[in-house]
Amino acid sequence: MRRITGTAFGMVAVFLAFEAQGAAQPSPTDAEMRQVHAALLGLAQDGAESERDDGADIYYSIVENPNAPRLVTRLEVSGAPCRARTVSALQFPGKWATLTLGRIDLSRITAVTAYASVDDMIAELNPIPLDAPAVEQVVLTGEGLYCTSRMSLSGQSMTADEACSDRLDLPMADVEQKERGRRALSIVADFCKAPAFGGK
């Protein structure tokens, strides 16, 4: 997958956006770190609420059609809070599920680029400062940021090798998404010491 290199202007904006709040911010709790990972992986979108299960959060996709497949994702933070594991099962009605095992490492984020629209993000044009009120999309990039592997519960072998994505897209189109996204990015900047934020 392609990697996007942030501009020098964008990097300065990212650093300044979080410097003041990052300095005084206490270490996040396990629950806060799970919320960060959930926000960046898109699990907490559309009002999805998690269920607690022995130190993990479980998210269910919202399905209105009973014949549609349903995705269930278990998220747990590993011994290093900026790393997390996910186990997702895509269940089709009347069929076996396919499991996807994933791992994310937020300390690998090397570039952050903000855009005012989806069209600008797709075209990779007109990046704006991360703290600008007009921000609606944020792209996080870093080598091996999120890696997944799949297996089928039907007993049929799936030969797909592990795949690693170098990119996460964070929508910030409304007030709730902006609040959740900025909180997540603030923790990544201060606590995960991601290179994109100047090694803070």
Side-chain angles (χ1 to χ4, degrees), residues 3 33 36-37 40 78 80-84 103-112 140-146 168 184 187-200:
R3 296 180 57 195
M33 286 308 304
V36 169
H37 288 286
L40 298 182
S78 67
C82 295
R83 299 175 185 171
R103 67 178 189 275
I104 182 172
D105 186 350
L106 301 180
S107 65
R108 289 178 175 265
I109 297 173
T110 56
V112 181
L140 311 172
T141 55
E143 185 176 357
L145 185 55
Y146 182 52
L168 293 174
I187 290 177
V188 173
D190 182 65
F191 190 69
C192 296
K193 312 300 183 186
F197 298 91
K200 283 178 53 60

PDB file of all heavy atoms in Angstrom, residues 3 33 36-37 40 78 80-84 103-112 140-146 168 184 187-200:
ATOM      1  N   ARG A   3       2.403   4.876   0.742  1.00  0.00           N
ATOM      2  CA  ARG A   3       2.622   5.693   1.923  1.00  0.00           C
ATOM      3  C   ARG A   3       2.571   7.151   1.509  1.00  0.00           C
ATOM      4  O   ARG A   3       3.035   7.544   0.453  1.00  0.00           O
ATOM      5  CB  ARG A   3       3.974   5.379   2.555  1.00  0.00           C
ATOM      6  CG  ARG A   3       4.085   3.978   3.076  1.00  0.00           C
ATOM      7  CD  ARG A   3       5.443   3.745   3.689  1.00  0.00           C
ATOM      8  NE  ARG A   3       5.700   4.712   4.740  1.00  0.00           N
ATOM      9  CZ  ARG A   3       6.905   4.934   5.247  1.00  0.00           C
ATOM     10  NH1 ARG A   3       7.923   4.280   4.824  1.00  0.00           N
ATOM     11  NH2 ARG A   3       7.070   5.817   6.203  1.00  0.00           N
ATOM     12  N   MET A  33      -7.021   3.823  26.220  1.00  0.00           N
ATOM     13  CA  MET A  33      -6.211   3.330  25.110  1.00  0.00           C
ATOM     14  C   MET A  33      -7.045   2.465  24.176  1.00  0.00           C
ATOM     15  O   MET A  33      -6.886   2.522  22.948  1.00  0.00           O
ATOM     16  CB  MET A  33      -5.003   2.536  25.631  1.00  0.00           C
ATOM     17  CG  MET A  33      -3.905   3.391  26.232  1.00  0.00           C
ATOM     18  SD  MET A  33      -3.328   4.755  25.166  1.00  0.00           S
ATOM     19  CE  MET A  33      -2.835   3.886  23.669  1.00  0.00           C
ATOM     20  N   VAL A  36      -8.875   4.792  21.986  1.00  0.00           N
ATOM     21  CA  VAL A  36      -7.995   5.349  20.962  1.00  0.00           C
ATOM     22  C   VAL A  36      -7.881   4.386  19.789  1.00  0.00           C
ATOM     23  O   VAL A  36      -8.070   4.758  18.626  1.00  0.00           O
ATOM     24  CB  VAL A  36      -6.603   5.656  21.542  1.00  0.00           C
ATOM     25  CG1 VAL A  36      -5.609   5.976  20.423  1.00  0.00           C
ATOM     26  CG2 VAL A  36      -6.673   6.817  22.519  1.00  0.00           C
ATOM     27  N   HIS A  37      -7.560   3.129  20.086  1.00  0.00           N
ATOM     28  CA  HIS A  37      -7.421   2.130  19.020  1.00  0.00           C
ATOM     29  C   HIS A  37      -8.730   1.958  18.265  1.00  0.00           C
ATOM     30  O   HIS A  37      -8.738   1.851  17.028  1.00  0.00           O
ATOM     31  CB  HIS A  37      -6.973   0.789  19.618  1.00  0.00           C
ATOM     32  CG  HIS A  37      -5.555   0.778  20.084  1.00  0.00           C
ATOM     33  ND1 HIS A  37      -4.479   0.729  19.224  1.00  0.00           N
ATOM     34  CD2 HIS A  37      -5.025   0.795  21.334  1.00  0.00           C
ATOM     35  CE1 HIS A  37      -3.351   0.716  19.915  1.00  0.00           C
ATOM     36  NE2 HIS A  37      -3.655   0.759  21.200  1.00  0.00           N
ATOM     37  N   LEU A  40      -9.264   4.896  15.833  1.00  0.00           N
ATOM     38  CA  LEU A  40      -8.376   4.884  14.675  1.00  0.00           C
ATOM     39  C   LEU A  40      -8.643   3.707  13.750  1.00  0.00           C
ATOM     40  O   LEU A  40      -8.319   3.762  12.562  1.00  0.00           O
ATOM     41  CB  LEU A  40      -6.913   4.880  15.136  1.00  0.00           C
ATOM     42  CG  LEU A  40      -6.490   6.117  15.940  1.00  0.00           C
ATOM     43  CD1 LEU A  40      -5.022   6.051  16.299  1.00  0.00           C
ATOM     44  CD2 LEU A  40      -6.794   7.402  15.186  1.00  0.00           C
ATOM     45  N   SER A  78      -2.398  -4.771  24.230  1.00  0.00           N
ATOM     46  CA  SER A  78      -1.360  -5.700  24.670  1.00  0.00           C
ATOM     47  C   SER A  78      -0.577  -5.109  25.839  1.00  0.00           C
ATOM     48  O   SER A  78      -0.946  -4.072  26.387  1.00  0.00           O
ATOM     49  CB  SER A  78      -0.419  -6.009  23.502  1.00  0.00           C
ATOM     50  OG  SER A  78       0.311  -4.843  23.144  1.00  0.00           O
ATOM     51  N   ALA A  80       2.084  -3.527  25.812  1.00  0.00           N
ATOM     52  CA  ALA A  80       2.479  -2.165  25.444  1.00  0.00           C
ATOM     53  C   ALA A  80       1.216  -1.430  25.015  1.00  0.00           C
ATOM     54  O   ALA A  80       0.596  -1.804  24.016  1.00  0.00           O
ATOM     55  CB  ALA A  80       3.496  -2.195  24.303  1.00  0.00           C
ATOM     56  N   PRO A  81       0.787  -0.390  25.747  1.00  0.00           N
ATOM     57  CA  PRO A  81      -0.521   0.244  25.497  1.00  0.00           C
ATOM     58  C   PRO A  81      -0.722   0.788  24.094  1.00  0.00           C
ATOM     59  O   PRO A  81      -1.859   0.910  23.650  1.00  0.00           O
ATOM     60  CB  PRO A  81      -0.557   1.370  26.536  1.00  0.00           C
ATOM     61  CG  PRO A  81       0.364   0.929  27.612  1.00  0.00           C
ATOM     62  CD  PRO A  81       1.462   0.179  26.918  1.00  0.00           C
ATOM     63  N   CYS A  82       0.353   1.132  23.396  1.00  0.00           N
ATOM     64  CA  CYS A  82       0.195   1.682  22.052  1.00  0.00           C
ATOM     65  C   CYS A  82       0.079   0.593  20.993  1.00  0.00           C
ATOM     66  O   CYS A  82      -0.026   0.871  19.810  1.00  0.00           O
ATOM     67  CB  CYS A  82       1.356   2.616  21.726  1.00  0.00           C
ATOM     68  SG  CYS A  82       1.360   4.084  22.792  1.00  0.00           S
ATOM     69  N   ARG A  83       0.104  -0.648  21.428  1.00  0.00           N
ATOM     70  CA  ARG A  83      -0.120  -1.776  20.534  1.00  0.00           C
ATOM     71  C   ARG A  83      -1.398  -2.489  20.957  1.00  0.00           C
ATOM     72  O   ARG A  83      -1.695  -2.584  22.139  1.00  0.00           O
ATOM     73  CB  ARG A  83       1.054  -2.763  20.596  1.00  0.00           C
ATOM     74  CG  ARG A  83       2.381  -2.151  20.181  1.00  0.00           C
ATOM     75  CD  ARG A  83       3.507  -3.135  20.393  1.00  0.00           C
ATOM     76  NE  ARG A  83       4.798  -2.540  20.121  1.00  0.00           N
ATOM     77  CZ  ARG A  83       5.961  -3.135  20.396  1.00  0.00           C
ATOM     78  NH1 ARG A  83       5.976  -4.327  20.974  1.00  0.00           N
ATOM     79  NH2 ARG A  83       7.093  -2.526  20.105  1.00  0.00           N
ATOM     80  N   ALA A  84      -2.130  -2.978  19.988  1.00  0.00           N
ATOM     81  CA  ALA A  84      -3.385  -3.670  20.297  1.00  0.00           C
ATOM     82  C   ALA A  84      -3.556  -4.846  19.352  1.00  0.00           C
ATOM     83  O   ALA A  84      -2.961  -4.896  18.269  1.00  0.00           O
ATOM     84  CB  ALA A  84      -4.575  -2.723  20.176  1.00  0.00           C
ATOM     85  N   ARG A 103      -3.110  -6.759  14.240  1.00  0.00           N
ATOM     86  CA  ARG A 103      -2.324  -6.072  15.265  1.00  0.00           C
ATOM     87  C   ARG A 103      -1.976  -4.681  14.755  1.00  0.00           C
ATOM     88  O   ARG A 103      -1.694  -4.475  13.584  1.00  0.00           O
ATOM     89  CB  ARG A 103      -1.070  -6.865  15.628  1.00  0.00           C
ATOM     90  CG  ARG A 103      -0.030  -6.967  14.539  1.00  0.00           C
ATOM     91  CD  ARG A 103       1.207  -7.733  15.024  1.00  0.00           C
ATOM     92  NE  ARG A 103       2.301  -7.670  14.076  1.00  0.00           N
ATOM     93  CZ  ARG A 103       2.445  -8.490  13.054  1.00  0.00           C
ATOM     94  NH1 ARG A 103       1.568  -9.446  12.849  1.00  0.00           N
ATOM     95  NH2 ARG A 103       3.476  -8.357  12.220  1.00  0.00           N
ATOM     96  N   ILE A 104      -2.024  -3.718  15.659  1.00  0.00           N
ATOM     97  CA  ILE A 104      -1.758  -2.321  15.325  1.00  0.00           C
ATOM     98  C   ILE A 104      -0.719  -1.776  16.291  1.00  0.00           C
ATOM     99  O   ILE A 104      -0.717  -2.122  17.469  1.00  0.00           O
ATOM    100  CB  ILE A 104      -3.054  -1.483  15.378  1.00  0.00           C
ATOM    101  CG1 ILE A 104      -2.771  -0.027  14.982  1.00  0.00           C
ATOM    102  CG2 ILE A 104      -3.708  -1.559  16.743  1.00  0.00           C
ATOM    103  CD1 ILE A 104      -4.035   0.807  14.826  1.00  0.00           C
ATOM    104  N   ASP A 105       0.180  -0.951  15.781  1.00  0.00           N
ATOM    105  CA  ASP A 105       1.218  -0.325  16.596  1.00  0.00           C
ATOM    106  C   ASP A 105       1.221   1.166  16.291  1.00  0.00           C
ATOM    107  O   ASP A 105       1.729   1.610  15.262  1.00  0.00           O
ATOM    108  CB  ASP A 105       2.589  -0.949  16.285  1.00  0.00           C
ATOM    109  CG  ASP A 105       3.690  -0.431  17.202  1.00  0.00           C
ATOM    110  OD1 ASP A 105       3.441   0.542  17.954  1.00  0.00           O
ATOM    111  OD2 ASP A 105       4.797  -0.998  17.171  1.00  0.00           O
ATOM    112  N   LEU A 106       0.649   1.960  17.198  1.00  0.00           N
ATOM    113  CA  LEU A 106       0.501   3.397  16.963  1.00  0.00           C
ATOM    114  C   LEU A 106       1.831   4.141  17.013  1.00  0.00           C
ATOM    115  O   LEU A 106       1.931   5.260  16.510  1.00  0.00           O
ATOM    116  CB  LEU A 106      -0.468   3.987  17.982  1.00  0.00           C
ATOM    117  CG  LEU A 106      -1.874   3.379  17.965  1.00  0.00           C
ATOM    118  CD1 LEU A 106      -2.744   4.039  19.028  1.00  0.00           C
ATOM    119  CD2 LEU A 106      -2.509   3.517  16.590  1.00  0.00           C
ATOM    120  N   SER A 107       2.846   3.538  17.608  1.00  0.00           N
ATOM    121  CA  SER A 107       4.155   4.194  17.650  1.00  0.00           C
ATOM    122  C   SER A 107       4.830   4.187  16.280  1.00  0.00           C
ATOM    123  O   SER A 107       5.863   4.824  16.094  1.00  0.00           O
ATOM    124  CB  SER A 107       5.067   3.510  18.678  1.00  0.00           C
ATOM    125  OG  SER A 107       5.360   2.176  18.292  1.00  0.00           O
ATOM    126  N   ARG A 108       4.245   3.506  15.304  1.00  0.00           N
ATOM    127  CA  ARG A 108       4.804   3.444  13.953  1.00  0.00           C
ATOM    128  C   ARG A 108       4.330   4.598  13.056  1.00  0.00           C
ATOM    129  O   ARG A 108       4.748   4.696  11.911  1.00  0.00           O
ATOM    130  CB  ARG A 108       4.438   2.115  13.280  1.00  0.00           C
ATOM    131  CG  ARG A 108       5.158   0.909  13.853  1.00  0.00           C
ATOM    132  CD  ARG A 108       4.688  -0.364  13.154  1.00  0.00           C
ATOM    133  NE  ARG A 108       5.438  -1.528  13.593  1.00  0.00           N
ATOM    134  CZ  ARG A 108       6.507  -2.009  12.963  1.00  0.00           C
ATOM    135  NH1 ARG A 108       6.940  -1.410  11.868  1.00  0.00           N
ATOM    136  NH2 ARG A 108       7.142  -3.067  13.419  1.00  0.00           N
ATOM    137  N   ILE A 109       3.444   5.439  13.564  1.00  0.00           N
ATOM    138  CA  ILE A 109       2.914   6.530  12.733  1.00  0.00           C
ATOM    139  C   ILE A 109       4.020   7.545  12.452  1.00  0.00           C
ATOM    140  O   ILE A 109       4.546   8.171  13.364  1.00  0.00           O
ATOM    141  CB  ILE A 109       1.725   7.216  13.425  1.00  0.00           C
ATOM    142  CG1 ILE A 109       0.570   6.212  13.606  1.00  0.00           C
ATOM    143  CG2 ILE A 109       1.247   8.422  12.608  1.00  0.00           C
ATOM    144  CD1 ILE A 109      -0.571   6.756  14.432  1.00  0.00           C
ATOM    145  N   THR A 110       4.351   7.700  11.182  1.00  0.00           N
ATOM    146  CA  THR A 110       5.441   8.600  10.796  1.00  0.00           C
ATOM    147  C   THR A 110       4.952   9.846  10.071  1.00  0.00           C
ATOM    148  O   THR A 110       5.731  10.783   9.865  1.00  0.00           O
ATOM    149  CB  THR A 110       6.453   7.868   9.893  1.00  0.00           C
ATOM    150  OG1 THR A 110       5.764   7.324   8.760  1.00  0.00           O
ATOM    151  CG2 THR A 110       7.147   6.742  10.646  1.00  0.00           C
ATOM    152  N   ALA A 111       3.683   9.868   9.655  1.00  0.00           N
ATOM    153  CA  ALA A 111       3.150  11.042   8.960  1.00  0.00           C
ATOM    154  C   ALA A 111       1.665  11.181   9.249  1.00  0.00           C
ATOM    155  O   ALA A 111       0.944  10.194   9.352  1.00  0.00           O
ATOM    156  CB  ALA A 111       3.373  10.940   7.449  1.00  0.00           C
ATOM    157  N   VAL A 112       1.230  12.418   9.408  1.00  0.00           N
ATOM    158  CA  VAL A 112      -0.177  12.742   9.623  1.00  0.00           C
ATOM    159  C   VAL A 112      -0.536  13.864   8.659  1.00  0.00           C
ATOM    160  O   VAL A 112       0.128  14.895   8.634  1.00  0.00           O
ATOM    161  CB  VAL A 112      -0.441  13.211  11.070  1.00  0.00           C
ATOM    162  CG1 VAL A 112      -1.919  13.504  11.269  1.00  0.00           C
ATOM    163  CG2 VAL A 112       0.029  12.172  12.078  1.00  0.00           C
ATOM    164  N   LEU A 140      -3.282   8.812   8.551  1.00  0.00           N
ATOM    165  CA  LEU A 140      -2.115   8.433   9.341  1.00  0.00           C
ATOM    166  C   LEU A 140      -1.350   7.363   8.571  1.00  0.00           C
ATOM    167  O   LEU A 140      -1.949   6.387   8.100  1.00  0.00           O
ATOM    168  CB  LEU A 140      -2.552   7.863  10.695  1.00  0.00           C
ATOM    169  CG  LEU A 140      -3.581   8.680  11.487  1.00  0.00           C
ATOM    170  CD1 LEU A 140      -4.051   7.900  12.698  1.00  0.00           C
ATOM    171  CD2 LEU A 140      -2.993  10.013  11.892  1.00  0.00           C
ATOM    172  N   THR A 141      -0.044   7.527   8.435  1.00  0.00           N
ATOM    173  CA  THR A 141       0.739   6.545   7.708  1.00  0.00           C
ATOM    174  C   THR A 141       1.977   6.143   8.490  1.00  0.00           C
ATOM    175  O   THR A 141       2.520   6.917   9.288  1.00  0.00           O
ATOM    176  CB  THR A 141       1.171   7.081   6.321  1.00  0.00           C
ATOM    177  OG1 THR A 141       1.867   8.325   6.492  1.00  0.00           O
ATOM    178  CG2 THR A 141      -0.020   7.298   5.411  1.00  0.00           C
ATOM    179  N   GLY A 142       2.423   4.928   8.234  1.00  0.00           N
ATOM    180  CA  GLY A 142       3.618   4.387   8.866  1.00  0.00           C
ATOM    181  C   GLY A 142       3.792   2.947   8.434  1.00  0.00           C
ATOM    182  O   GLY A 142       2.813   2.198   8.286  1.00  0.00           O
ATOM    183  N   GLU A 143       5.012   2.539   8.208  1.00  0.00           N
ATOM    184  CA  GLU A 143       5.278   1.194   7.697  1.00  0.00           C
ATOM    185  C   GLU A 143       4.784   0.132   8.683  1.00  0.00           C
ATOM    186  O   GLU A 143       5.104   0.186   9.869  1.00  0.00           O
ATOM    187  CB  GLU A 143       6.769   1.012   7.429  1.00  0.00           C
ATOM    188  CG  GLU A 143       7.117  -0.319   6.787  1.00  0.00           C
ATOM    189  CD  GLU A 143       8.596  -0.423   6.437  1.00  0.00           C
ATOM    190  OE1 GLU A 143       9.317   0.559   6.639  1.00  0.00           O
ATOM    191  OE2 GLU A 143       9.002  -1.496   5.963  1.00  0.00           O
ATOM    192  N   GLY A 144       3.995  -0.817   8.178  1.00  0.00           N
ATOM    193  CA  GLY A 144       3.506  -1.914   9.012  1.00  0.00           C
ATOM    194  C   GLY A 144       2.599  -1.462  10.132  1.00  0.00           C
ATOM    195  O   GLY A 144       2.552  -2.083  11.193  1.00  0.00           O
ATOM    196  N   LEU A 145       1.830  -0.404   9.889  1.00  0.00           N
ATOM    197  CA  LEU A 145       1.000   0.190  10.930  1.00  0.00           C
ATOM    198  C   LEU A 145      -0.071  -0.785  11.423  1.00  0.00           C
ATOM    199  O   LEU A 145      -0.304  -0.919  12.625  1.00  0.00           O
ATOM    200  CB  LEU A 145       0.361   1.466  10.382  1.00  0.00           C
ATOM    201  CG  LEU A 145      -0.464   2.327  11.324  1.00  0.00           C
ATOM    202  CD1 LEU A 145       0.338   2.718  12.553  1.00  0.00           C
ATOM    203  CD2 LEU A 145      -0.958   3.570  10.588  1.00  0.00           C
ATOM    204  N   TYR A 146      -0.729  -1.468  10.492  1.00  0.00           N
ATOM    205  CA  TYR A 146      -1.790  -2.401  10.861  1.00  0.00           C
ATOM    206  C   TYR A 146      -1.672  -3.652   9.999  1.00  0.00           C
ATOM    207  O   TYR A 146      -1.792  -3.582   8.774  1.00  0.00           O
ATOM    208  CB  TYR A 146      -3.159  -1.746  10.659  1.00  0.00           C
ATOM    209  CG  TYR A 146      -4.329  -2.609  11.070  1.00  0.00           C
ATOM    210  CD1 TYR A 146      -4.380  -3.189  12.330  1.00  0.00           C
ATOM    211  CD2 TYR A 146      -5.394  -2.832  10.207  1.00  0.00           C
ATOM    212  CE1 TYR A 146      -5.458  -3.979  12.716  1.00  0.00           C
ATOM    213  CE2 TYR A 146      -6.486  -3.610  10.581  1.00  0.00           C
ATOM    214  CZ  TYR A 146      -6.508  -4.184  11.844  1.00  0.00           C
ATOM    215  OH  TYR A 146      -7.576  -4.966  12.219  1.00  0.00           O
ATOM    216  N   LEU A 168      -4.018   4.465   7.899  1.00  0.00           N
ATOM    217  CA  LEU A 168      -5.312   4.484   8.572  1.00  0.00           C
ATOM    218  C   LEU A 168      -5.985   5.810   8.242  1.00  0.00           C
ATOM    219  O   LEU A 168      -5.352   6.863   8.285  1.00  0.00           O
ATOM    220  CB  LEU A 168      -5.147   4.363  10.094  1.00  0.00           C
ATOM    221  CG  LEU A 168      -4.619   3.044  10.654  1.00  0.00           C
ATOM    222  CD1 LEU A 168      -4.385   3.181  12.155  1.00  0.00           C
ATOM    223  CD2 LEU A 168      -5.584   1.902  10.371  1.00  0.00           C
ATOM    224  N   ALA A 184      -7.896  10.977  20.481  1.00  0.00           N
ATOM    225  CA  ALA A 184      -7.041   9.854  20.099  1.00  0.00           C
ATOM    226  C   ALA A 184      -5.676  10.338  19.615  1.00  0.00           C
ATOM    227  O   ALA A 184      -4.632   9.814  20.027  1.00  0.00           O
ATOM    228  CB  ALA A 184      -7.724   9.017  19.014  1.00  0.00           C
ATOM    229  N   ILE A 187      -3.379  11.561  22.448  1.00  0.00           N
ATOM    230  CA  ILE A 187      -2.737  10.474  23.207  1.00  0.00           C
ATOM    231  C   ILE A 187      -1.614   9.846  22.397  1.00  0.00           C
ATOM    232  O   ILE A 187      -0.540   9.539  22.929  1.00  0.00           O
ATOM    233  CB  ILE A 187      -3.785   9.432  23.610  1.00  0.00           C
ATOM    234  CG1 ILE A 187      -4.711  10.014  24.682  1.00  0.00           C
ATOM    235  CG2 ILE A 187      -3.116   8.148  24.128  1.00  0.00           C
ATOM    236  CD1 ILE A 187      -5.839   9.092  25.105  1.00  0.00           C
ATOM    237  N   VAL A 188      -1.838   9.655  21.094  1.00  0.00           N
ATOM    238  CA  VAL A 188      -0.783   9.096  20.247  1.00  0.00           C
ATOM    239  C   VAL A 188       0.443  10.011  20.251  1.00  0.00           C
ATOM    240  O   VAL A 188       1.583   9.553  20.326  1.00  0.00           O
ATOM    241  CB  VAL A 188      -1.290   8.887  18.805  1.00  0.00           C
ATOM    242  CG1 VAL A 188      -0.141   8.473  17.882  1.00  0.00           C
ATOM    243  CG2 VAL A 188      -2.385   7.823  18.781  1.00  0.00           C
ATOM    244  N   ALA A 189       0.207  11.331  20.190  1.00  0.00           N
ATOM    245  CA  ALA A 189       1.314  12.290  20.170  1.00  0.00           C
ATOM    246  C   ALA A 189       2.091  12.282  21.472  1.00  0.00           C
ATOM    247  O   ALA A 189       3.328  12.272  21.478  1.00  0.00           O
ATOM    248  CB  ALA A 189       0.775  13.689  19.887  1.00  0.00           C
ATOM    249  N   ASP A 190       1.382  12.267  22.584  1.00  0.00           N
ATOM    250  CA  ASP A 190       2.033  12.438  23.881  1.00  0.00           C
ATOM    251  C   ASP A 190       2.536  11.128  24.466  1.00  0.00           C
ATOM    252  O   ASP A 190       3.629  11.056  25.016  1.00  0.00           O
ATOM    253  CB  ASP A 190       1.062  13.088  24.866  1.00  0.00           C
ATOM    254  CG  ASP A 190       1.706  13.330  26.222  1.00  0.00           C
ATOM    255  OD1 ASP A 190       2.655  14.141  26.276  1.00  0.00           O
ATOM    256  OD2 ASP A 190       1.280  12.707  27.200  1.00  0.00           O
ATOM    257  N   PHE A 191       1.736  10.086  24.346  1.00  0.00           N
ATOM    258  CA  PHE A 191       2.021   8.843  25.058  1.00  0.00           C
ATOM    259  C   PHE A 191       2.725   7.802  24.199  1.00  0.00           C
ATOM    260  O   PHE A 191       3.584   7.067  24.688  1.00  0.00           O
ATOM    261  CB  PHE A 191       0.708   8.273  25.602  1.00  0.00           C
ATOM    262  CG  PHE A 191       0.888   7.126  26.552  1.00  0.00           C
ATOM    263  CD1 PHE A 191       1.436   7.318  27.809  1.00  0.00           C
ATOM    264  CD2 PHE A 191       0.495   5.851  26.189  1.00  0.00           C
ATOM    265  CE1 PHE A 191       1.607   6.261  28.683  1.00  0.00           C
ATOM    266  CE2 PHE A 191       0.659   4.780  27.057  1.00  0.00           C
ATOM    267  CZ  PHE A 191       1.206   4.989  28.307  1.00  0.00           C
ATOM    268  N   CYS A 192       2.373   7.730  22.911  1.00  0.00           N
ATOM    269  CA  CYS A 192       2.956   6.707  22.046  1.00  0.00           C
ATOM    270  C   CYS A 192       4.265   7.148  21.395  1.00  0.00           C
ATOM    271  O   CYS A 192       4.947   6.341  20.765  1.00  0.00           O
ATOM    272  CB  CYS A 192       1.956   6.298  20.964  1.00  0.00           C
ATOM    273  SG  CYS A 192       0.471   5.503  21.632  1.00  0.00           S
ATOM    274  N   LYS A 193       4.603   8.439  21.534  1.00  0.00           N
ATOM    275  CA  LYS A 193       5.862   8.968  21.003  1.00  0.00           C
ATOM    276  C   LYS A 193       6.017   8.676  19.509  1.00  0.00           C
ATOM    277  O   LYS A 193       7.106   8.364  19.030  1.00  0.00           O
ATOM    278  CB  LYS A 193       7.064   8.392  21.761  1.00  0.00           C
ATOM    279  CG  LYS A 193       6.955   8.447  23.269  1.00  0.00           C
ATOM    280  CD  LYS A 193       6.819   9.851  23.786  1.00  0.00           C
ATOM    281  CE  LYS A 193       6.777   9.882  25.315  1.00  0.00           C
ATOM    282  NZ  LYS A 193       6.505  11.212  25.869  1.00  0.00           N
ATOM    283  N   ALA A 194       4.914   8.742  18.788  1.00  0.00           N
ATOM    284  CA  ALA A 194       4.964   8.483  17.344  1.00  0.00           C
ATOM    285  C   ALA A 194       5.855   9.504  16.654  1.00  0.00           C
ATOM    286  O   ALA A 194       5.773  10.692  16.938  1.00  0.00           O
ATOM    287  CB  ALA A 194       3.563   8.513  16.753  1.00  0.00           C
ATOM    288  N   PRO A 195       6.720   9.060  15.719  1.00  0.00           N
ATOM    289  CA  PRO A 195       7.617   9.989  15.035  1.00  0.00           C
ATOM    290  C   PRO A 195       6.911  11.130  14.331  1.00  0.00           C
ATOM    291  O   PRO A 195       7.480  12.215  14.178  1.00  0.00           O
ATOM    292  CB  PRO A 195       8.339   9.077  14.025  1.00  0.00           C
ATOM    293  CG  PRO A 195       8.268   7.711  14.612  1.00  0.00           C
ATOM    294  CD  PRO A 195       6.953   7.649  15.335  1.00  0.00           C
ATOM    295  N   ALA A 196       5.677  10.917  13.891  1.00  0.00           N
ATOM    296  CA  ALA A 196       4.954  11.971  13.171  1.00  0.00           C
ATOM    297  C   ALA A 196       4.742  13.205  14.026  1.00  0.00           C
ATOM    298  O   ALA A 196       4.558  14.304  13.497  1.00  0.00           O
ATOM    299  CB  ALA A 196       3.581  11.443  12.718  1.00  0.00           C
ATOM    300  N   PHE A 197       4.799  13.044  15.337  1.00  0.00           N
ATOM    301  CA  PHE A 197       4.546  14.168  16.235  1.00  0.00           C
ATOM    302  C   PHE A 197       5.849  14.690  16.868  1.00  0.00           C
ATOM    303  O   PHE A 197       5.860  15.201  17.972  1.00  0.00           O
ATOM    304  CB  PHE A 197       3.574  13.740  17.329  1.00  0.00           C
ATOM    305  CG  PHE A 197       2.239  13.333  16.801  1.00  0.00           C
ATOM    306  CD1 PHE A 197       1.993  12.008  16.477  1.00  0.00           C
ATOM    307  CD2 PHE A 197       1.218  14.250  16.611  1.00  0.00           C
ATOM    308  CE1 PHE A 197       0.770  11.609  15.962  1.00  0.00           C
ATOM    309  CE2 PHE A 197      -0.002  13.865  16.103  1.00  0.00           C
ATOM    310  CZ  PHE A 197      -0.227  12.549  15.782  1.00  0.00           C
ATOM    311  N   GLY A 198       6.933  14.508  16.179  1.00  0.00           N
ATOM    312  CA  GLY A 198       8.203  15.059  16.628  1.00  0.00           C
ATOM    313  C   GLY A 198       8.837  14.290  17.765  1.00  0.00           C
ATOM    314  O   GLY A 198       9.670  14.815  18.488  1.00  0.00           O
ATOM    315  N   GLY A 199       8.433  12.994  17.967  1.00  0.00           N
ATOM    316  CA  GLY A 199       9.055  12.177  19.001  1.00  0.00           C
ATOM    317  C   GLY A 199       8.713  12.608  20.379  1.00  0.00           C
ATOM    318  O   GLY A 199       9.445  12.373  21.329  1.00  0.00           O
ATOM    319  N   LYS A 200       7.544  13.275  20.551  1.00  0.00           N
ATOM    320  CA  LYS A 200       7.137  13.764  21.869  1.00  0.00           C
ATOM    321  C   LYS A 200       6.849  12.599  22.808  1.00  0.00           C
ATOM    322  O   LYS A 200       6.366  11.596  22.412  1.00  0.00           O
ATOM    323  CB  LYS A 200       5.904  14.629  21.750  1.00  0.00           C
ATOM    324  CG  LYS A 200       6.204  16.024  21.217  1.00  0.00           C
ATOM    325  CD  LYS A 200       4.949  16.837  21.069  1.00  0.00           C
ATOM    326  CE  LYS A 200       4.133  16.877  22.339  1.00  0.00           C
ATOM    327  NZ  LYS A 200       4.809  17.439  23.497  1.00  0.00           N
TER     328      LYS A 200
END
